[in-house]
Amino acid sequence: GEHWRESGLMGIPIVLMRNFGGRMFAGSQNAVYYSDDYCISWNRLRIVDYSGYDMGGWPIAMDRNDSAIFMSFYDGPGLLRSSDNGLTWQRDTADMGYRNPQSIICIDSIVIAAIGDSWGEAMYRSTDYGRHWDTLDESYMQNFYYDRGVLFGNPQQNRSGISVSTDKGLSWKLKWGSQGDGWFNCMYQDSFGVYAGCTAIGLMQLGKSGGSVTQWADTSDWTSIFQIAGNARFIAAGTTDGVIITTDHGDSWIEKNAGLIGTVITGVASIGNTLVASTFGNGVYASTDAGNSWSHPVTGRGPLSIRTMHGYPWGILATPGGGYYTEVSSFRMSKDAGSTWSAINGPAVQDNGFWSYCADSSEIFAGTLAGVYASTDRGATWVPKSRGFAAPGQTLAMTMKDSLL
């Protein structure tokens, strides 16, 4: 892209371009052109039916497979198919009411077409190179992309997001964005990448394969991820349906719920060889065998409900309560992997509440309604740490790495 040259069709607005087997197609608002010499010269494509009727116009979608080229037009006669590289065209779209798809993709013999017009939204799928069509349950996809067995689509229903299909468009799962509900809850990082847990839309992994790949973990059965923790042996995630664990850096996830009572897991923490999980309303559980079995700690169940929980070399910090995005007035701390718990008061600031926290080996930091506070004596006393903030206020989230807070 460092150097460019004019290649014909100058002064003509081009709205769509595709390269099919060495022939370049370019669509304007009035016609389709093609070039067989790398865009040096162009010819207008006559798109006529068997009787000579001109069916061309403003193209809005096109793709091809090894059998045919497919093209759709704004206010056109329906999806058109050419089996002779554009010399003649047919329309085999009676099954879709001769409507004009806005998106087309070909995967071998399968063709998928998405339509959104005044008659509504619809998706169609053909398994015989576009001659016959079946209706899909999905309403509409704005764009398609196919790579290594995975089909990606942009669902039009919520105007944002990405859905994926692993069976060439037969079924779809929303994997990025949401249909009215969904947000990030937590993040975790190891040497292989970053893992983000979300409400309603699963677990996203960033940075696999050298930091350039974004993928969704195969966690379709666990739609909400509340917290992620790990160590050198495994990564664990607390979900609406229990604890899931991966030992291969997110390539596969397995449920580990033997002995758990109450499967909504609001928090997980890894302390040495012990994995601790907090449930919604059923207390705290511990596992010393990577989640294969769970039990209540011997000397007490601890808080019945925990909103967030984090493990540090010296113990666990947790905030009681099951609600999200509300302030609380005290921590819960355990120095023995969840066996016993004690309350430590948060900073005495506005509304006596804090929203977030993090810690290292020597300090605890609390995000409050009046900025950041720190304690060096496990919460007995607090001092403000908001110098440099333009206007210290509600601190919703914090994290730290080495000396960076």
Side-chain angles (χ1 to χ4, degrees):
E2 293 182 5
H3 305 287
W4 295 81
R5 63 173 174 83
E6 293 183 358
S7 60
L9 302 181
M10 304 308 296
I12 299 177
I14 302 299
V15 297
L16 189 64
M17 295 190 73
R18 294 290 187 273
N19 183 8
F20 297 144
R23 170 168 284 189
M24 181 69 75
F25 291 86
S28 73
Q29 294 180 355
N30 300 304
V32 177
Y33 301 86
Y34 69 92
S35 172
D36 294 321
D37 54 10
Y38 301 100
C39 304
I40 295 175
S41 60
W42 294 85
N43 300 288
R44 180 167 178 169
L45 185 67
R46 292 191 69 233
I47 303 178
V48 298
D49 62 13
Y50 61 91
S51 64
Y53 174 74
D54 189 351
M55 298 186 293
W58 181 345
I60 55 177
M62 63 176 78
D63 201 5
R64 76 162 300 157
N65 54 29
D66 57 3
S67 174
I69 296 173
F70 298 87
M71 200 172 297
S72 178
F73 295 84
Y74 181 77
D75 283 339
L79 181 63
L80 303 182
R81 177 174 59 88
S82 173
S83 300
D84 51 16
N85 210 23
L87 183 63
T88 59
W89 296 83
Q90 300 83 35
R91 59 172 188 170
D92 299 324
T93 53
D95 294 337
M96 62 175 73
Y98 300 110
R99 296 164 70 184
N100 300 294
Q102 283 75 38
S103 302
I104 308 167
I105 191 166
C106 300
I107 308 170
D108 303 323
S109 63
I110 294 175
V111 187
I112 301 171
I115 300 174
D117 54 24
S118 58
W119 286 278
E121 298 179 348
M123 288 264 288
Y124 294 89
R125 185 176 184 266
S126 170
T127 58
D128 58 0
Y129 294 95
R131 292 173 176 81
H132 302 90
W133 298 83
D134 297 314
T135 304
L136 296 176
D137 291 336
E138 295 294 319
S139 59
Y140 181 70
M141 294 287 170
Q142 198 168 12
N143 299 289
F144 291 116
Y145 180 74
Y146 185 74
D147 181 43
R148 289 171 289 184
V150 181
L151 177 61
F152 299 84
N154 175 208
Q156 182 75 356
Q157 183 178 10
N158 59 310
R159 306 285 172 175
S160 65
I162 296 173
S163 289
V164 299
S165 171
T166 56
D167 53 13
K168 298 182 180 180
L170 192 60
S171 60
W172 295 82
K173 294 179 181 179
L174 185 69
K175 287 296 185 181
W176 171 250
S178 63
Q179 294 177 335
D181 188 17
W183 55 82
F184 286 101
N185 286 324
C186 57
M187 299 188 78
Y188 176 81
Q189 182 177 10
D190 66 6
S191 58
F192 286 79
V194 178
Y195 307 78
C198 310
T199 291
I201 52 178
L203 179 68
M204 185 171 66
Q205 297 172 209
L206 306 149
K208 299 277 284 186
S209 302
S212 60
V213 176
T214 299
Q215 68 179 26
W216 282 89
D218 185 15
T219 57
S220 55
D221 293 330
W222 314 286
T223 55
S224 293
I225 310 294
F226 294 126
Q227 196 163 13
I228 308 168
N231 54 35
R233 295 186 299 147
F234 60 82
I235 300 172
T239 81
T240 46
D241 295 297
V243 174
I244 57 175
I245 286 180
T246 176
T247 57
D248 52 16
H249 306 285
D251 289 336
S252 61
W253 295 81
I254 302 173
E255 286 186 357
K256 297 284 188 175
N257 295 325
L260 281 176
I261 300 175
T263 57
V264 178
I265 306 300
T266 58
V268 288
S270 177
I271 309 297
N273 293 322
T274 301
L275 181 62
V276 182
S278 61
T279 66
F280 181 74
N282 287 289
V284 177
Y285 288 77
S287 172
T288 57
D289 55 8
N292 289 316
S293 61
W294 295 88
S295 62
H296 279 302
V298 176
T299 57
R301 298 175 62 183
L304 287 179
S305 294
I306 285 180
R307 192 184 74 185
T308 59
M309 183 168 63
H310 293 86
Y312 303 99
W314 46 265
I316 301 173
L317 279 181
T319 52
Y324 285 88
Y325 303 106
T326 56
E327 74 276 7
V328 295
S329 58
S330 66
F331 296 97
R332 295 293 186 269
M333 181 171 64
S334 173
K335 298 180 181 180
D336 50 14
S339 292
T340 58
W341 294 82
S342 60
I344 55 175
N345 292 324
V349 295
Q350 175 187 353
D351 291 335
N352 194 31
F354 64 90
W355 289 67
S356 56
Y357 64 90
C358 60
D360 61 13
S361 59
S362 59
E363 286 186 276
I364 301 173
F365 297 90
T368 76
L369 300 178
V372 178
Y373 282 72
S375 173
T376 58
D377 50 14
R378 300 291 187 262
T381 59
W382 297 87
V383 294
K385 291 281 188 175
S386 296
R387 189 174 65 178
F389 279 66
Q394 193 166 303
T395 307
L396 296 179
M398 292 192 300
T399 190
M400 67 184 308
K401 177 70 172 178
D402 300 325
S403 61
L404 179 65
L405 175 63

